[in-house]
Amino acid sequence: MTKVPSELKYAKTHEWVRVDGNVATVGITDHAQHELTDVVFVELPAKGRDLKAGDACAVVESVKTASDVYAPVSGKVVEVNQSVVDDPALVNAEPYEGGWFYKIQMSQPAELNSLLSAADYGKMVNR
């Protein structure tokens, strides 16, 4: 059973968002990391990059495949997680804690309303 923390919002493309004020922390879900299997490489967006919701902004590569990661909300990247670049296995071990990808200063917080609740995301992946 996939872990789906109730306090987060989710994109249909399997990114999660944790909101703190006007800053959103973004990572990929437990379901996504299970599907990818062992993550061996992570490429993150540059700090300062402006993203629009839906932009491909990062890459996750596993022993099985490589996948784009999409921005769930628009804004400016204000911090990237160098720890996950140095140790991509963090994505598998701690997808919602140490395995986060980047923080974004949201330019359109209302976009959060288009993301899925934990209940809806859980239904989508646990069918």
PDB file of all heavy atoms in Angstrom, residues 47-70:
ATOM      1  N   LYS A  47      18.442  26.856  -8.979  1.00  0.00           N
ATOM      2  CA  LYS A  47      17.901  27.853  -8.060  1.00  0.00           C
ATOM      3  C   LYS A  47      17.739  29.158  -8.834  1.00  0.00           C
ATOM      4  O   LYS A  47      18.626  29.550  -9.602  1.00  0.00           O
ATOM      5  CB  LYS A  47      18.856  28.034  -6.874  1.00  0.00           C
ATOM      6  CG  LYS A  47      18.336  28.951  -5.814  1.00  0.00           C
ATOM      7  CD  LYS A  47      19.318  29.004  -4.652  1.00  0.00           C
ATOM      8  CE  LYS A  47      18.856  30.055  -3.652  1.00  0.00           C
ATOM      9  NZ  LYS A  47      19.815  30.195  -2.546  1.00  0.00           N
ATOM     10  N   GLY A  48      16.603  29.813  -8.668  1.00  0.00           N
ATOM     11  CA  GLY A  48      16.318  31.059  -9.372  1.00  0.00           C
ATOM     12  C   GLY A  48      15.515  30.875 -10.647  1.00  0.00           C
ATOM     13  O   GLY A  48      15.031  31.848 -11.222  1.00  0.00           O
ATOM     14  N   ARG A  49      15.361  29.637 -11.097  1.00  0.00           N
ATOM     15  CA  ARG A  49      14.615  29.367 -12.334  1.00  0.00           C
ATOM     16  C   ARG A  49      13.122  29.621 -12.114  1.00  0.00           C
ATOM     17  O   ARG A  49      12.560  29.225 -11.094  1.00  0.00           O
ATOM     18  CB  ARG A  49      14.840  27.920 -12.764  1.00  0.00           C
ATOM     19  CG  ARG A  49      14.118  27.548 -14.040  1.00  0.00           C
ATOM     20  CD  ARG A  49      14.465  26.153 -14.481  1.00  0.00           C
ATOM     21  NE  ARG A  49      13.552  25.708 -15.524  1.00  0.00           N
ATOM     22  CZ  ARG A  49      13.481  24.467 -15.969  1.00  0.00           C
ATOM     23  NH1 ARG A  49      14.283  23.541 -15.471  1.00  0.00           N
ATOM     24  NH2 ARG A  49      12.628  24.132 -16.912  1.00  0.00           N
ATOM     25  N   ASP A  50      12.500  30.276 -13.075  1.00  0.00           N
ATOM     26  CA  ASP A  50      11.050  30.470 -13.045  1.00  0.00           C
ATOM     27  C   ASP A  50      10.383  29.278 -13.717  1.00  0.00           C
ATOM     28  O   ASP A  50      10.791  28.882 -14.812  1.00  0.00           O
ATOM     29  CB  ASP A  50      10.663  31.756 -13.778  1.00  0.00           C
ATOM     30  CG  ASP A  50      11.040  33.001 -12.995  1.00  0.00           C
ATOM     31  OD1 ASP A  50      10.768  33.028 -11.783  1.00  0.00           O
ATOM     32  OD2 ASP A  50      11.617  33.928 -13.593  1.00  0.00           O
ATOM     33  N   LEU A  51       9.382  28.726 -13.056  1.00  0.00           N
ATOM     34  CA  LEU A  51       8.660  27.571 -13.587  1.00  0.00           C
ATOM     35  C   LEU A  51       7.182  27.904 -13.725  1.00  0.00           C
ATOM     36  O   LEU A  51       6.647  28.674 -12.929  1.00  0.00           O
ATOM     37  CB  LEU A  51       8.795  26.371 -12.642  1.00  0.00           C
ATOM     38  CG  LEU A  51      10.204  25.855 -12.382  1.00  0.00           C
ATOM     39  CD1 LEU A  51      10.158  24.759 -11.309  1.00  0.00           C
ATOM     40  CD2 LEU A  51      10.820  25.310 -13.664  1.00  0.00           C
ATOM     41  N   LYS A  52       6.563  27.307 -14.714  1.00  0.00           N
ATOM     42  CA  LYS A  52       5.109  27.367 -14.842  1.00  0.00           C
ATOM     43  C   LYS A  52       4.568  25.982 -14.522  1.00  0.00           C
ATOM     44  O   LYS A  52       5.222  24.978 -14.822  1.00  0.00           O
ATOM     45  CB  LYS A  52       4.703  27.748 -16.267  1.00  0.00           C
ATOM     46  CG  LYS A  52       5.066  29.174 -16.621  1.00  0.00           C
ATOM     47  CD  LYS A  52       4.485  29.523 -17.972  1.00  0.00           C
ATOM     48  CE  LYS A  52       5.009  30.833 -18.437  1.00  0.00           C
ATOM     49  NZ  LYS A  52       4.397  31.983 -18.234  1.00  0.00           N
ATOM     50  N   ALA A  53       3.389  25.947 -13.923  1.00  0.00           N
ATOM     51  CA  ALA A  53       2.773  24.665 -13.610  1.00  0.00           C
ATOM     52  C   ALA A  53       2.725  23.809 -14.864  1.00  0.00           C
ATOM     53  O   ALA A  53       2.318  24.279 -15.926  1.00  0.00           O
ATOM     54  CB  ALA A  53       1.367  24.883 -13.054  1.00  0.00           C
ATOM     55  N   GLY A  54       3.190  22.585 -14.742  1.00  0.00           N
ATOM     56  CA  GLY A  54       3.206  21.662 -15.876  1.00  0.00           C
ATOM     57  C   GLY A  54       4.530  21.583 -16.597  1.00  0.00           C
ATOM     58  O   GLY A  54       4.738  20.692 -17.420  1.00  0.00           O
ATOM     59  N   ASP A  55       5.457  22.524 -16.304  1.00  0.00           N
ATOM     60  CA  ASP A  55       6.784  22.473 -16.923  1.00  0.00           C
ATOM     61  C   ASP A  55       7.547  21.230 -16.474  1.00  0.00           C
ATOM     62  O   ASP A  55       7.540  20.903 -15.288  1.00  0.00           O
ATOM     63  CB  ASP A  55       7.632  23.678 -16.510  1.00  0.00           C
ATOM     64  CG  ASP A  55       7.290  24.953 -17.239  1.00  0.00           C
ATOM     65  OD1 ASP A  55       6.464  24.923 -18.172  1.00  0.00           O
ATOM     66  OD2 ASP A  55       7.875  25.992 -16.854  1.00  0.00           O
ATOM     67  N   ALA A  56       8.226  20.573 -17.396  1.00  0.00           N
ATOM     68  CA  ALA A  56       9.176  19.521 -17.018  1.00  0.00           C
ATOM     69  C   ALA A  56      10.384  20.242 -16.427  1.00  0.00           C
ATOM     70  O   ALA A  56      10.980  21.086 -17.096  1.00  0.00           O
ATOM     71  CB  ALA A  56       9.565  18.693 -18.229  1.00  0.00           C
ATOM     72  N   CYS A  57      10.719  19.956 -15.186  1.00  0.00           N
ATOM     73  CA  CYS A  57      11.751  20.760 -14.529  1.00  0.00           C
ATOM     74  C   CYS A  57      12.840  19.932 -13.862  1.00  0.00           C
ATOM     75  O   CYS A  57      13.839  20.482 -13.406  1.00  0.00           O
ATOM     76  CB  CYS A  57      11.111  21.679 -13.494  1.00  0.00           C
ATOM     77  SG  CYS A  57      10.260  20.797 -12.172  1.00  0.00           S
ATOM     78  N   ALA A  58      12.669  18.639 -13.780  1.00  0.00           N
ATOM     79  CA  ALA A  58      13.668  17.777 -13.155  1.00  0.00           C
ATOM     80  C   ALA A  58      13.618  16.413 -13.838  1.00  0.00           C
ATOM     81  O   ALA A  58      12.661  16.105 -14.547  1.00  0.00           O
ATOM     82  CB  ALA A  58      13.401  17.642 -11.662  1.00  0.00           C
ATOM     83  N   VAL A  59      14.645  15.616 -13.591  1.00  0.00           N
ATOM     84  CA  VAL A  59      14.706  14.271 -14.155  1.00  0.00           C
ATOM     85  C   VAL A  59      15.084  13.298 -13.041  1.00  0.00           C
ATOM     86  O   VAL A  59      15.967  13.590 -12.232  1.00  0.00           O
ATOM     87  CB  VAL A  59      15.749  14.180 -15.289  1.00  0.00           C
ATOM     88  CG1 VAL A  59      15.890  12.758 -15.794  1.00  0.00           C
ATOM     89  CG2 VAL A  59      15.386  15.116 -16.430  1.00  0.00           C
ATOM     90  N   VAL A  60      14.388  12.174 -13.016  1.00  0.00           N
ATOM     91  CA  VAL A  60      14.711  11.101 -12.087  1.00  0.00           C
ATOM     92  C   VAL A  60      15.054   9.876 -12.921  1.00  0.00           C
ATOM     93  O   VAL A  60      14.288   9.493 -13.794  1.00  0.00           O
ATOM     94  CB  VAL A  60      13.524  10.762 -11.163  1.00  0.00           C
ATOM     95  CG1 VAL A  60      13.869   9.624 -10.237  1.00  0.00           C
ATOM     96  CG2 VAL A  60      13.101  11.972 -10.373  1.00  0.00           C
ATOM     97  N   GLU A  61      16.210   9.294 -12.651  1.00  0.00           N
ATOM     98  CA  GLU A  61      16.626   8.115 -13.393  1.00  0.00           C
ATOM     99  C   GLU A  61      16.792   6.967 -12.407  1.00  0.00           C
ATOM    100  O   GLU A  61      17.407   7.122 -11.351  1.00  0.00           O
ATOM    101  CB  GLU A  61      17.953   8.410 -14.094  1.00  0.00           C
ATOM    102  CG  GLU A  61      18.328   7.405 -15.135  1.00  0.00           C
ATOM    103  CD  GLU A  61      19.564   7.846 -15.914  1.00  0.00           C
ATOM    104  OE1 GLU A  61      19.620   9.019 -16.338  1.00  0.00           O
ATOM    105  OE2 GLU A  61      20.470   7.023 -16.051  1.00  0.00           O
ATOM    106  N   SER A  62      16.231   5.829 -12.776  1.00  0.00           N
ATOM    107  CA  SER A  62      16.357   4.642 -11.935  1.00  0.00           C
ATOM    108  C   SER A  62      17.019   3.537 -12.740  1.00  0.00           C
ATOM    109  O   SER A  62      17.321   3.719 -13.920  1.00  0.00           O
ATOM    110  CB  SER A  62      14.976   4.184 -11.461  1.00  0.00           C
ATOM    111  OG  SER A  62      14.252   3.646 -12.558  1.00  0.00           O
ATOM    112  N   VAL A  63      17.211   2.388 -12.109  1.00  0.00           N
ATOM    113  CA  VAL A  63      17.775   1.261 -12.832  1.00  0.00           C
ATOM    114  C   VAL A  63      16.824   0.787 -13.919  1.00  0.00           C
ATOM    115  O   VAL A  63      17.227   0.093 -14.845  1.00  0.00           O
ATOM    116  CB  VAL A  63      18.126   0.100 -11.873  1.00  0.00           C
ATOM    117  CG1 VAL A  63      19.239   0.507 -10.927  1.00  0.00           C
ATOM    118  CG2 VAL A  63      16.900  -0.381 -11.114  1.00  0.00           C
ATOM    119  N   LYS A  64      15.554   1.190 -13.833  1.00  0.00           N
ATOM    120  CA  LYS A  64      14.512   0.734 -14.731  1.00  0.00           C
ATOM    121  C   LYS A  64      14.226   1.714 -15.873  1.00  0.00           C
ATOM    122  O   LYS A  64      13.986   1.308 -17.002  1.00  0.00           O
ATOM    123  CB  LYS A  64      13.247   0.540 -13.894  1.00  0.00           C
ATOM    124  CG  LYS A  64      12.092  -0.112 -14.528  1.00  0.00           C
ATOM    125  CD  LYS A  64      11.020  -0.328 -13.457  1.00  0.00           C
ATOM    126  CE  LYS A  64       9.676  -0.640 -14.045  1.00  0.00           C
ATOM    127  NZ  LYS A  64       8.638  -0.734 -13.022  1.00  0.00           N
ATOM    128  N   THR A  65      14.226   3.032 -15.568  1.00  0.00           N
ATOM    129  CA  THR A  65      13.813   4.028 -16.556  1.00  0.00           C
ATOM    130  C   THR A  65      14.220   5.429 -16.123  1.00  0.00           C
ATOM    131  O   THR A  65      14.714   5.621 -15.011  1.00  0.00           O
ATOM    132  CB  THR A  65      12.275   3.962 -16.761  1.00  0.00           C
ATOM    133  OG1 THR A  65      11.913   4.779 -17.867  1.00  0.00           O
ATOM    134  CG2 THR A  65      11.541   4.419 -15.520  1.00  0.00           C
ATOM    135  N   ALA A  66      13.996   6.395 -16.984  1.00  0.00           N
ATOM    136  CA  ALA A  66      14.180   7.812 -16.631  1.00  0.00           C
ATOM    137  C   ALA A  66      12.837   8.504 -16.813  1.00  0.00           C
ATOM    138  O   ALA A  66      12.094   8.185 -17.748  1.00  0.00           O
ATOM    139  CB  ALA A  66      15.234   8.459 -17.512  1.00  0.00           C
ATOM    140  N   SER A  67      12.525   9.433 -15.913  1.00  0.00           N
ATOM    141  CA  SER A  67      11.244  10.133 -15.973  1.00  0.00           C
ATOM    142  C   SER A  67      11.429  11.610 -15.715  1.00  0.00           C
ATOM    143  O   SER A  67      12.261  12.002 -14.898  1.00  0.00           O
ATOM    144  CB  SER A  67      10.290   9.579 -14.910  1.00  0.00           C
ATOM    145  OG  SER A  67       9.950   8.263 -15.184  1.00  0.00           O
ATOM    146  N   ASP A  68      10.630  12.416 -16.400  1.00  0.00           N
ATOM    147  CA  ASP A  68      10.583  13.838 -16.106  1.00  0.00           C
ATOM    148  C   ASP A  68       9.751  14.061 -14.850  1.00  0.00           C
ATOM    149  O   ASP A  68       8.826  13.308 -14.556  1.00  0.00           O
ATOM    150  CB  ASP A  68       9.938  14.604 -17.264  1.00  0.00           C
ATOM    151  CG  ASP A  68      10.844  14.715 -18.475  1.00  0.00           C
ATOM    152  OD1 ASP A  68      12.083  14.716 -18.300  1.00  0.00           O
ATOM    153  OD2 ASP A  68      10.312  14.798 -19.596  1.00  0.00           O
ATOM    154  N   VAL A  69      10.082  15.123 -14.134  1.00  0.00           N
ATOM    155  CA  VAL A  69       9.301  15.579 -12.987  1.00  0.00           C
ATOM    156  C   VAL A  69       8.728  16.934 -13.393  1.00  0.00           C
ATOM    157  O   VAL A  69       9.453  17.783 -13.917  1.00  0.00           O
ATOM    158  CB  VAL A  69      10.189  15.705 -11.733  1.00  0.00           C
ATOM    159  CG1 VAL A  69       9.399  16.289 -10.568  1.00  0.00           C
ATOM    160  CG2 VAL A  69      10.771  14.343 -11.366  1.00  0.00           C
ATOM    161  N   TYR A  70       7.439  17.134 -13.153  1.00  0.00           N
ATOM    162  CA  TYR A  70       6.749  18.334 -13.600  1.00  0.00           C
ATOM    163  C   TYR A  70       6.463  19.264 -12.433  1.00  0.00           C
ATOM    164  O   TYR A  70       6.184  18.812 -11.317  1.00  0.00           O
ATOM    165  CB  TYR A  70       5.444  17.948 -14.300  1.00  0.00           C
ATOM    166  CG  TYR A  70       5.694  17.073 -15.498  1.00  0.00           C
ATOM    167  CD1 TYR A  70       5.644  15.685 -15.387  1.00  0.00           C
ATOM    168  CD2 TYR A  70       6.034  17.628 -16.725  1.00  0.00           C
ATOM    169  CE1 TYR A  70       5.911  14.872 -16.486  1.00  0.00           C
ATOM    170  CE2 TYR A  70       6.301  16.825 -17.819  1.00  0.00           C
ATOM    171  CZ  TYR A  70       6.240  15.440 -17.693  1.00  0.00           C
ATOM    172  OH  TYR A  70       6.519  14.642 -18.775  1.00  0.00           O
TER     173      TYR A  70
END
